[in-house]
Amino acid sequence: MNRLKEVKAFVTEDIQLYHNLVMKHLPGADPELVLLSRNYQELERIPLSQMTRDEINALVQELGFYRKSAPEAQVPPEYLWAPAKPPEEASEHDDL
């Protein structure tokens, strides 16, 4: 990742500010943002190699990831599931 300075800057400095965004390093693989469902099913892969740090930040915010003011900052309750929607309460008609 050393050859991709913009992506490296995002990973080393910005990723820790995003709630529910996790880095998984795969040596030799091109960097991708892999979006998963609440059930960990792959929804989409977005290549990051050609993007700038600002573009990656804009992308993850557009996707609905919550950006904290500091790594240890609390996440407001309405963003705990972000970017996924919280599981809805079971309806009395779920069996219909």
Side-chain angles (χ1 to χ4, degrees):
M1 190 172 339
N2 287 330
R3 62 185 168 80
L4 302 170
K5 295 187 186 314
E6 293 283 317
V7 176
K8 183 176 182 178
F10 174 79
V11 168
T12 59
E13 298 176 34
D14 299 334
I15 203 167
Q16 62 190 339
L17 298 174
Y18 288 97
H19 178 64
N20 286 339
L21 189 59
V22 178
M23 160 74 172
K24 183 175 181 181
H25 182 71
L26 300 174
D30 288 334
E32 296 177 302
L33 177 63
V34 180
L35 301 174
L36 304 174
S37 71
R38 208 173 33 233
N39 300 323
Y40 301 102
Q41 294 176 328
E42 186 176 313
L43 300 173
E44 184 178 0
R45 286 181 177 260
I46 303 169
L48 302 177
S49 299
Q50 301 300 315
M51 297 177 77
T52 67
R53 180 180 180 181
D54 288 340
E55 289 171 333
I56 299 169
N57 274 290
L59 171 65
V60 295
Q61 289 177 39
E62 181 180 313
L63 291 169
F65 287 92
Y66 178 77
R67 184 180 171 116
K68 302 179 282 184
S69 57
E72 67 281 350
Q74 293 294 315
V75 176
E78 64 269 24
Y79 293 105
L80 288 177
W81 288 87
K85 305 251 187 278
E88 296 180 1
E89 295 288 330
S91 159
E92 61 183 282
H93 302 290
D94 280 349
D95 57 340
L96 298 179

PDB file of all heavy atoms in Angstrom, residues 51-75:
ATOM      1  N   MET A  51      -8.490   6.458  -6.143  1.00  0.00           N
ATOM      2  CA  MET A  51      -9.179   7.534  -5.430  1.00  0.00           C
ATOM      3  C   MET A  51      -8.232   8.299  -4.518  1.00  0.00           C
ATOM      4  O   MET A  51      -7.258   7.743  -4.004  1.00  0.00           O
ATOM      5  CB  MET A  51     -10.338   6.958  -4.612  1.00  0.00           C
ATOM      6  CG  MET A  51     -11.412   6.309  -5.465  1.00  0.00           C
ATOM      7  SD  MET A  51     -12.729   5.564  -4.489  1.00  0.00           S
ATOM      8  CE  MET A  51     -13.631   7.032  -4.040  1.00  0.00           C
ATOM      9  N   THR A  52      -8.546   9.569  -4.304  1.00  0.00           N
ATOM     10  CA  THR A  52      -7.796  10.376  -3.346  1.00  0.00           C
ATOM     11  C   THR A  52      -8.382  10.163  -1.955  1.00  0.00           C
ATOM     12  O   THR A  52      -9.496   9.640  -1.803  1.00  0.00           O
ATOM     13  CB  THR A  52      -7.871  11.876  -3.680  1.00  0.00           C
ATOM     14  OG1 THR A  52      -9.228  12.318  -3.486  1.00  0.00           O
ATOM     15  CG2 THR A  52      -7.405  12.168  -5.094  1.00  0.00           C
ATOM     16  N   ARG A  53      -7.656  10.589  -0.973  1.00  0.00           N
ATOM     17  CA  ARG A  53      -8.119  10.505   0.417  1.00  0.00           C
ATOM     18  C   ARG A  53      -9.448  11.242   0.580  1.00  0.00           C
ATOM     19  O   ARG A  53     -10.376  10.730   1.208  1.00  0.00           O
ATOM     20  CB  ARG A  53      -7.044  11.104   1.318  1.00  0.00           C
ATOM     21  CG  ARG A  53      -7.373  11.098   2.775  1.00  0.00           C
ATOM     22  CD  ARG A  53      -6.237  11.725   3.548  1.00  0.00           C
ATOM     23  NE  ARG A  53      -6.495  11.758   4.961  1.00  0.00           N
ATOM     24  CZ  ARG A  53      -5.653  12.268   5.839  1.00  0.00           C
ATOM     25  NH1 ARG A  53      -4.500  12.777   5.441  1.00  0.00           N
ATOM     26  NH2 ARG A  53      -5.952  12.266   7.115  1.00  0.00           N
ATOM     27  N   ASP A  54      -9.546  12.426   0.015  1.00  0.00           N
ATOM     28  CA  ASP A  54     -10.789  13.199   0.102  1.00  0.00           C
ATOM     29  C   ASP A  54     -11.947  12.475  -0.573  1.00  0.00           C
ATOM     30  O   ASP A  54     -13.072  12.483  -0.077  1.00  0.00           O
ATOM     31  CB  ASP A  54     -10.620  14.591  -0.515  1.00  0.00           C
ATOM     32  CG  ASP A  54      -9.764  15.509   0.345  1.00  0.00           C
ATOM     33  OD1 ASP A  54      -9.608  15.245   1.561  1.00  0.00           O
ATOM     34  OD2 ASP A  54      -9.244  16.505  -0.203  1.00  0.00           O
ATOM     35  N   GLU A  55     -11.680  11.848  -1.715  1.00  0.00           N
ATOM     36  CA  GLU A  55     -12.729  11.109  -2.427  1.00  0.00           C
ATOM     37  C   GLU A  55     -13.212   9.901  -1.614  1.00  0.00           C
ATOM     38  O   GLU A  55     -14.409   9.613  -1.573  1.00  0.00           O
ATOM     39  CB  GLU A  55     -12.230  10.645  -3.800  1.00  0.00           C
ATOM     40  CG  GLU A  55     -12.054  11.763  -4.793  1.00  0.00           C
ATOM     41  CD  GLU A  55     -11.353  11.338  -6.073  1.00  0.00           C
ATOM     42  OE1 GLU A  55     -10.554  10.368  -6.050  1.00  0.00           O
ATOM     43  OE2 GLU A  55     -11.603  11.994  -7.097  1.00  0.00           O
ATOM     44  N   ILE A  56     -12.283   9.212  -0.955  1.00  0.00           N
ATOM     45  CA  ILE A  56     -12.665   8.063  -0.140  1.00  0.00           C
ATOM     46  C   ILE A  56     -13.501   8.519   1.051  1.00  0.00           C
ATOM     47  O   ILE A  56     -14.534   7.922   1.370  1.00  0.00           O
ATOM     48  CB  ILE A  56     -11.433   7.256   0.319  1.00  0.00           C
ATOM     49  CG1 ILE A  56     -10.665   6.713  -0.883  1.00  0.00           C
ATOM     50  CG2 ILE A  56     -11.852   6.107   1.244  1.00  0.00           C
ATOM     51  CD1 ILE A  56      -9.296   6.142  -0.546  1.00  0.00           C
ATOM     52  N   ASN A  57     -13.075   9.596   1.702  1.00  0.00           N
ATOM     53  CA  ASN A  57     -13.852  10.146   2.824  1.00  0.00           C
ATOM     54  C   ASN A  57     -15.257  10.539   2.373  1.00  0.00           C
ATOM     55  O   ASN A  57     -16.238  10.242   3.053  1.00  0.00           O
ATOM     56  CB  ASN A  57     -13.137  11.351   3.450  1.00  0.00           C
ATOM     57  CG  ASN A  57     -12.137  10.945   4.502  1.00  0.00           C
ATOM     58  OD1 ASN A  57     -12.507  10.492   5.570  1.00  0.00           O
ATOM     59  ND2 ASN A  57     -10.861  11.087   4.183  1.00  0.00           N
ATOM     60  N   ALA A  58     -15.356  11.197   1.236  1.00  0.00           N
ATOM     61  CA  ALA A  58     -16.664  11.605   0.713  1.00  0.00           C
ATOM     62  C   ALA A  58     -17.521  10.376   0.410  1.00  0.00           C
ATOM     63  O   ALA A  58     -18.722  10.357   0.709  1.00  0.00           O
ATOM     64  CB  ALA A  58     -16.495  12.472  -0.528  1.00  0.00           C
ATOM     65  N   LEU A  59     -16.912   9.347  -0.154  1.00  0.00           N
ATOM     66  CA  LEU A  59     -17.637   8.129  -0.500  1.00  0.00           C
ATOM     67  C   LEU A  59     -18.226   7.465   0.740  1.00  0.00           C
ATOM     68  O   LEU A  59     -19.414   7.143   0.771  1.00  0.00           O
ATOM     69  CB  LEU A  59     -16.713   7.149  -1.232  1.00  0.00           C
ATOM     70  CG  LEU A  59     -17.281   5.752  -1.472  1.00  0.00           C
ATOM     71  CD1 LEU A  59     -18.474   5.798  -2.424  1.00  0.00           C
ATOM     72  CD2 LEU A  59     -16.197   4.826  -2.002  1.00  0.00           C
ATOM     73  N   VAL A  60     -17.404   7.228   1.759  1.00  0.00           N
ATOM     74  CA  VAL A  60     -17.913   6.514   2.933  1.00  0.00           C
ATOM     75  C   VAL A  60     -18.976   7.334   3.664  1.00  0.00           C
ATOM     76  O   VAL A  60     -19.931   6.777   4.202  1.00  0.00           O
ATOM     77  CB  VAL A  60     -16.796   6.022   3.879  1.00  0.00           C
ATOM     78  CG1 VAL A  60     -15.936   4.978   3.202  1.00  0.00           C
ATOM     79  CG2 VAL A  60     -15.949   7.139   4.408  1.00  0.00           C
ATOM     80  N   GLN A  61     -18.850   8.653   3.640  1.00  0.00           N
ATOM     81  CA  GLN A  61     -19.884   9.488   4.250  1.00  0.00           C
ATOM     82  C   GLN A  61     -21.166   9.449   3.417  1.00  0.00           C
ATOM     83  O   GLN A  61     -22.272   9.380   3.963  1.00  0.00           O
ATOM     84  CB  GLN A  61     -19.379  10.913   4.434  1.00  0.00           C
ATOM     85  CG  GLN A  61     -18.331  10.983   5.538  1.00  0.00           C
ATOM     86  CD  GLN A  61     -17.741  12.363   5.713  1.00  0.00           C
ATOM     87  OE1 GLN A  61     -18.442  13.359   5.620  1.00  0.00           O
ATOM     88  NE2 GLN A  61     -16.451  12.419   5.973  1.00  0.00           N
ATOM     89  N   GLU A  62     -21.032   9.446   2.106  1.00  0.00           N
ATOM     90  CA  GLU A  62     -22.190   9.345   1.218  1.00  0.00           C
ATOM     91  C   GLU A  62     -22.906   8.002   1.412  1.00  0.00           C
ATOM     92  O   GLU A  62     -24.130   7.920   1.317  1.00  0.00           O
ATOM     93  CB  GLU A  62     -21.738   9.478  -0.237  1.00  0.00           C
ATOM     94  CG  GLU A  62     -22.850   9.404  -1.254  1.00  0.00           C
ATOM     95  CD  GLU A  62     -22.312   9.535  -2.675  1.00  0.00           C
ATOM     96  OE1 GLU A  62     -21.497  10.445  -2.919  1.00  0.00           O
ATOM     97  OE2 GLU A  62     -22.699   8.708  -3.517  1.00  0.00           O
ATOM     98  N   LEU A  63     -22.140   6.965   1.706  1.00  0.00           N
ATOM     99  CA  LEU A  63     -22.713   5.640   1.944  1.00  0.00           C
ATOM    100  C   LEU A  63     -23.408   5.547   3.305  1.00  0.00           C
ATOM    101  O   LEU A  63     -24.092   4.570   3.585  1.00  0.00           O
ATOM    102  CB  LEU A  63     -21.637   4.560   1.834  1.00  0.00           C
ATOM    103  CG  LEU A  63     -21.099   4.326   0.425  1.00  0.00           C
ATOM    104  CD1 LEU A  63     -19.859   3.445   0.465  1.00  0.00           C
ATOM    105  CD2 LEU A  63     -22.170   3.714  -0.462  1.00  0.00           C
ATOM    106  N   GLY A  64     -23.206   6.544   4.157  1.00  0.00           N
ATOM    107  CA  GLY A  64     -23.904   6.586   5.439  1.00  0.00           C
ATOM    108  C   GLY A  64     -23.093   6.194   6.651  1.00  0.00           C
ATOM    109  O   GLY A  64     -23.637   6.055   7.740  1.00  0.00           O
ATOM    110  N   PHE A  65     -21.773   6.024   6.498  1.00  0.00           N
ATOM    111  CA  PHE A  65     -20.946   5.719   7.663  1.00  0.00           C
ATOM    112  C   PHE A  65     -20.833   6.971   8.524  1.00  0.00           C
ATOM    113  O   PHE A  65     -20.621   8.072   8.015  1.00  0.00           O
ATOM    114  CB  PHE A  65     -19.549   5.242   7.242  1.00  0.00           C
ATOM    115  CG  PHE A  65     -19.546   3.852   6.677  1.00  0.00           C
ATOM    116  CD1 PHE A  65     -19.685   3.648   5.313  1.00  0.00           C
ATOM    117  CD2 PHE A  65     -19.412   2.752   7.501  1.00  0.00           C
ATOM    118  CE1 PHE A  65     -19.693   2.374   4.783  1.00  0.00           C
ATOM    119  CE2 PHE A  65     -19.417   1.461   6.981  1.00  0.00           C
ATOM    120  CZ  PHE A  65     -19.557   1.278   5.618  1.00  0.00           C
ATOM    121  N   TYR A  66     -20.944   6.802   9.831  1.00  0.00           N
ATOM    122  CA  TYR A  66     -20.874   7.920  10.759  1.00  0.00           C
ATOM    123  C   TYR A  66     -19.417   8.233  11.069  1.00  0.00           C
ATOM    124  O   TYR A  66     -18.654   7.351  11.460  1.00  0.00           O
ATOM    125  CB  TYR A  66     -21.628   7.585  12.053  1.00  0.00           C
ATOM    126  CG  TYR A  66     -21.556   8.686  13.068  1.00  0.00           C
ATOM    127  CD1 TYR A  66     -22.340   9.821  12.935  1.00  0.00           C
ATOM    128  CD2 TYR A  66     -20.681   8.610  14.145  1.00  0.00           C
ATOM    129  CE1 TYR A  66     -22.264  10.846  13.855  1.00  0.00           C
ATOM    130  CE2 TYR A  66     -20.597   9.625  15.068  1.00  0.00           C
ATOM    131  CZ  TYR A  66     -21.390  10.744  14.917  1.00  0.00           C
ATOM    132  OH  TYR A  66     -21.311  11.766  15.832  1.00  0.00           O
ATOM    133  N   ARG A  67     -19.036   9.505  10.910  1.00  0.00           N
ATOM    134  CA  ARG A  67     -17.670   9.948  11.221  1.00  0.00           C
ATOM    135  C   ARG A  67     -17.658  10.614  12.588  1.00  0.00           C
ATOM    136  O   ARG A  67     -18.342  11.601  12.815  1.00  0.00           O
ATOM    137  CB  ARG A  67     -17.155  10.919  10.160  1.00  0.00           C
ATOM    138  CG  ARG A  67     -15.705  11.312  10.410  1.00  0.00           C
ATOM    139  CD  ARG A  67     -15.193  12.278   9.349  1.00  0.00           C
ATOM    140  NE  ARG A  67     -13.902  12.796   9.717  1.00  0.00           N
ATOM    141  CZ  ARG A  67     -12.782  12.592   9.041  1.00  0.00           C
ATOM    142  NH1 ARG A  67     -12.809  11.896   7.934  1.00  0.00           N
ATOM    143  NH2 ARG A  67     -11.636  13.095   9.450  1.00  0.00           N
ATOM    144  N   LYS A  68     -16.858  10.042  13.484  1.00  0.00           N
ATOM    145  CA  LYS A  68     -16.725  10.571  14.841  1.00  0.00           C
ATOM    146  C   LYS A  68     -15.726  11.725  14.844  1.00  0.00           C
ATOM    147  O   LYS A  68     -14.883  11.835  13.963  1.00  0.00           O
ATOM    148  CB  LYS A  68     -16.246   9.472  15.790  1.00  0.00           C
ATOM    149  CG  LYS A  68     -17.167   8.271  15.834  1.00  0.00           C
ATOM    150  CD  LYS A  68     -16.658   7.188  16.761  1.00  0.00           C
ATOM    151  CE  LYS A  68     -15.540   6.398  16.118  1.00  0.00           C
ATOM    152  NZ  LYS A  68     -15.053   5.283  16.902  1.00  0.00           N
ATOM    153  N   SER A  69     -15.810  12.557  15.857  1.00  0.00           N
ATOM    154  CA  SER A  69     -14.878  13.679  15.979  1.00  0.00           C
ATOM    155  C   SER A  69     -13.497  13.212  16.448  1.00  0.00           C
ATOM    156  O   SER A  69     -12.495  13.860  16.186  1.00  0.00           O
ATOM    157  CB  SER A  69     -15.434  14.724  16.940  1.00  0.00           C
ATOM    158  OG  SER A  69     -15.686  14.132  18.206  1.00  0.00           O
ATOM    159  N   ALA A  70     -13.444  12.082  17.132  1.00  0.00           N
ATOM    160  CA  ALA A  70     -12.196  11.483  17.610  1.00  0.00           C
ATOM    161  C   ALA A  70     -12.428   9.974  17.703  1.00  0.00           C
ATOM    162  O   ALA A  70     -13.572   9.533  17.873  1.00  0.00           O
ATOM    163  CB  ALA A  70     -11.823  12.049  18.977  1.00  0.00           C
ATOM    164  N   PRO A  71     -11.366   9.169  17.608  1.00  0.00           N
ATOM    165  CA  PRO A  71     -11.546   7.712  17.633  1.00  0.00           C
ATOM    166  C   PRO A  71     -12.327   7.201  18.843  1.00  0.00           C
ATOM    167  O   PRO A  71     -13.097   6.259  18.739  1.00  0.00           O
ATOM    168  CB  PRO A  71     -10.118   7.169  17.637  1.00  0.00           C
ATOM    169  CG  PRO A  71      -9.307   8.240  16.997  1.00  0.00           C
ATOM    170  CD  PRO A  71      -9.967   9.543  17.413  1.00  0.00           C
ATOM    171  N   GLU A  72     -12.146   7.835  19.993  1.00  0.00           N
ATOM    172  CA  GLU A  72     -12.802   7.364  21.216  1.00  0.00           C
ATOM    173  C   GLU A  72     -14.171   8.019  21.460  1.00  0.00           C
ATOM    174  O   GLU A  72     -14.837   7.720  22.444  1.00  0.00           O
ATOM    175  CB  GLU A  72     -11.892   7.603  22.430  1.00  0.00           C
ATOM    176  CG  GLU A  72     -11.651   9.064  22.771  1.00  0.00           C
ATOM    177  CD  GLU A  72     -10.620   9.769  21.885  1.00  0.00           C
ATOM    178  OE1 GLU A  72      -9.923   9.120  21.095  1.00  0.00           O
ATOM    179  OE2 GLU A  72     -10.532  11.005  22.003  1.00  0.00           O
ATOM    180  N   ALA A  73     -14.609   8.887  20.568  1.00  0.00           N
ATOM    181  CA  ALA A  73     -15.887   9.591  20.736  1.00  0.00           C
ATOM    182  C   ALA A  73     -17.059   8.616  20.686  1.00  0.00           C
ATOM    183  O   ALA A  73     -17.015   7.600  19.988  1.00  0.00           O
ATOM    184  CB  ALA A  73     -16.049  10.661  19.658  1.00  0.00           C
ATOM    185  N   GLN A  74     -18.098   8.941  21.437  1.00  0.00           N
ATOM    186  CA  GLN A  74     -19.317   8.140  21.452  1.00  0.00           C
ATOM    187  C   GLN A  74     -20.088   8.310  20.149  1.00  0.00           C
ATOM    188  O   GLN A  74     -20.031   9.360  19.524  1.00  0.00           O
ATOM    189  CB  GLN A  74     -20.205   8.560  22.626  1.00  0.00           C
ATOM    190  CG  GLN A  74     -19.617   8.250  23.985  1.00  0.00           C
ATOM    191  CD  GLN A  74     -19.510   6.747  24.220  1.00  0.00           C
ATOM    192  OE1 GLN A  74     -20.441   5.996  23.937  1.00  0.00           O
ATOM    193  NE2 GLN A  74     -18.373   6.311  24.715  1.00  0.00           N
ATOM    194  N   VAL A  75     -20.797   7.284  19.765  1.00  0.00           N
ATOM    195  CA  VAL A  75     -21.633   7.321  18.571  1.00  0.00           C
ATOM    196  C   VAL A  75     -23.072   7.548  19.021  1.00  0.00           C
ATOM    197  O   VAL A  75     -23.566   6.823  19.892  1.00  0.00           O
ATOM    198  CB  VAL A  75     -21.521   5.996  17.793  1.00  0.00           C
ATOM    199  CG1 VAL A  75     -22.451   5.969  16.604  1.00  0.00           C
ATOM    200  CG2 VAL A  75     -20.080   5.760  17.365  1.00  0.00           C
TER     201      VAL A  75
END
